[in-house]
Amino acid sequence: MMHEIEITEIPPLKPAEQTLLDMHSVLNVFNVLWSELTLIGLALADDPAHLREGQALIGRLVAGLRDPVASLEAARHIESHIAHVAAEIAESLAARPGAGRRPEVARSLASLESVFAVLRVRAREVLARAGRPELWLDMTVAELLSDFYEVLAAMQTGSHGRFGIVYNAAVQGPNDYYVDLRFESAVDDRLRLPLVFKDAMRDLVANARKYTAPGGQITAALFADHDRLRLAVRDTGRGIPMAELASVIDYGRRGSNVSDVRTMGGGFGLTKAFFVTKQFGGRFWIASELGHGTRVRIEIPLTPPAAAAS
């Protein structure tokens, strides 16, 4: 049986940690991009550092994410950064005619395009929040669902065949995740939510995937009525030791039972979700059971309609 507790406070963050927390989703994408460049280098030249200019660029961008000015500059110039990486890959492919048709290279190139698309979205969101950290979105349920389907499709592409993602349990295979997305509004077909809250939702779904083996289930449910927004993200993964449930939210902390799991993040997806919840006057609960999974519940009050922005 899952044991649930409400988290009301965690240790305060240093300024650099807060900045990195704000850029958590961008950090994840940069790390995935660096990994893809490694795979392409191995496939093209049997050298993980073959695309060293692109990897060096990503390294510099990641290092700058602790500084708010550097972070915004990276977001403003994301197209030129993408073009720089793409040019180096194109040069390497041109020197190896036919290499792009090899299956392993083709998979990496397809994954890379998916990563570029996600990175563009994250950069736009960072710039939209700049100077307006409490920006709210007004969007349809269908638009939010479409956003998450795109994110999950990028996860599947980036797995290079290690797992699939299905939305109907009847077709789930042993290496598939069954994902149940339920986003609803009691008012109409529209939702109002903070832009950064959507960011936190994506991080929670990504966390659920990381710590659940293929063949498991991930549920993300959002419900909005006249007064509040309620979110629940649940997985059937490893779970969290009960003694660590209150502290696993702390910055950079992960459960002691997941040290062998390779991740692309900084270990603060839960921290970000908690801080976003508190930023908008909400409440945060976490429940878990070893071997049976974890559930995060969030409630935030809805602001008056005048505070929402497209």
Side-chain angles (χ1 to χ4, degrees):
M1 181 176 180
M2 282 195 175
H3 176 68
E4 183 177 70
I5 62 172
E6 181 175 5
I7 306 296
T8 57
E9 62 180 347
I10 67 172
L13 300 183
K14 300 174 183 177
E17 292 173 340
Q18 182 63 60
T19 300
L20 198 55
L21 198 72
D22 292 340
M23 300 296 291
H24 181 232
S25 288
V26 176
L27 171 65
N28 287 348
V29 182
F30 279 155
N31 286 339
V32 171
L33 177 54
W34 195 94
S35 180
E36 289 295 343
L37 294 180
T38 300
L39 291 175
I40 294 175
L42 285 168
L44 290 177
D46 197 27
D47 179 4
H50 174 62
L51 299 171
R52 53 183 52 83
E53 289 187 15
Q55 289 174 322
L57 171 61
I58 300 306
R60 292 193 298 272
L61 293 174
V62 168
L65 292 182
R66 294 178 180 274
D67 178 78
V69 175
S71 298
L72 288 178
E73 281 300 299
R76 289 190 185 99
H77 297 96
I78 202 63
E79 286 298 338
S80 64
H81 297 322
I82 289 174
H84 183 90
V85 172
E88 186 182 18
I89 295 170
E91 182 180 349
S92 182
L93 287 170
R96 297 165 176 80
R101 293 191 294 272
R102 286 160 42 196
E104 67 274 22
V105 177
R107 283 194 299 269
S108 284
L109 293 176
S111 180
L112 197 66
E113 287 303 318
S114 179
V115 173
F116 287 160
V118 172
L119 191 54
R120 290 183 176 101
V121 172
R122 298 294 183 274
R124 287 198 297 269
E125 291 177 349
V126 166
L127 294 174
R129 294 200 308 264
R132 303 179 65 190
E134 297 192 355
L135 176 66
W136 284 65
L137 296 174
D138 185 342
M139 63 194 312
T140 66
V141 171
E143 286 169 339
L144 186 60
L145 281 169
S146 177
D147 182 287
F148 273 78
Y149 286 135
E150 290 177 5
V151 169
L152 290 161
M155 288 183 191
Q156 177 174 286
T157 301
S159 78
H160 294 265
R162 293 192 306 274
F163 62 78
I165 293 176
V166 300
Y167 302 97
N168 187 318
V171 299
Q172 183 181 16
N175 291 320
D176 294 329
Y177 291 98
Y178 166 47
V179 179
D180 184 14
L181 296 179
R182 299 290 180 94
F183 299 163
E184 299 177 359
S185 172
V187 182
D188 50 29
D189 68 340
R190 303 195 69 82
L191 293 164
R192 288 189 300 107
L193 70 161
L195 173 56
V196 71
F197 186 73
K198 186 174 72 164
D199 208 23
M201 288 174 61
R202 288 188 302 240
D203 287 344
L204 290 174
V205 171
N207 263 6
R209 206 285 308 161
K210 288 176 188 175
Y211 302 120
T212 302
Q217 178 174 344
I218 299 164
T219 300
L222 182 73
F223 184 81
D225 56 22
H226 292 280
D227 302 315
R228 57 183 172 167
L229 198 62
R230 285 179 281 181
L231 171 71
V233 177
R234 180 171 182 169
D235 63 63
T236 58
R238 297 191 179 196
I240 302 166
M242 186 179 298
E244 300 173 24
L245 206 52
S247 61
V248 77
I249 310 296
D250 295 355
Y251 182 89
R253 184 73 65 90
R254 294 199 297 159
S256 60
N257 61 323
V258 298
S259 59
D260 62 314
V261 178
R262 179 173 177 266
T263 73
M264 294 294 178
F268 35 78
L270 285 173
T271 313
K272 179 171 183 174
F274 174 79
F275 269 94
V276 169
T277 300
K278 291 304 175 181
Q279 177 183 353
F280 292 93
R283 300 176 68 185
F284 185 103
W285 296 265
I286 184 168
S288 195
E289 182 180 0
L290 279 177
H292 294 276
T294 300
R295 181 185 68 231
V296 173
R297 291 194 304 119
I298 293 173
E299 291 185 3
I300 63 171
L302 291 176
T303 61
S310 298

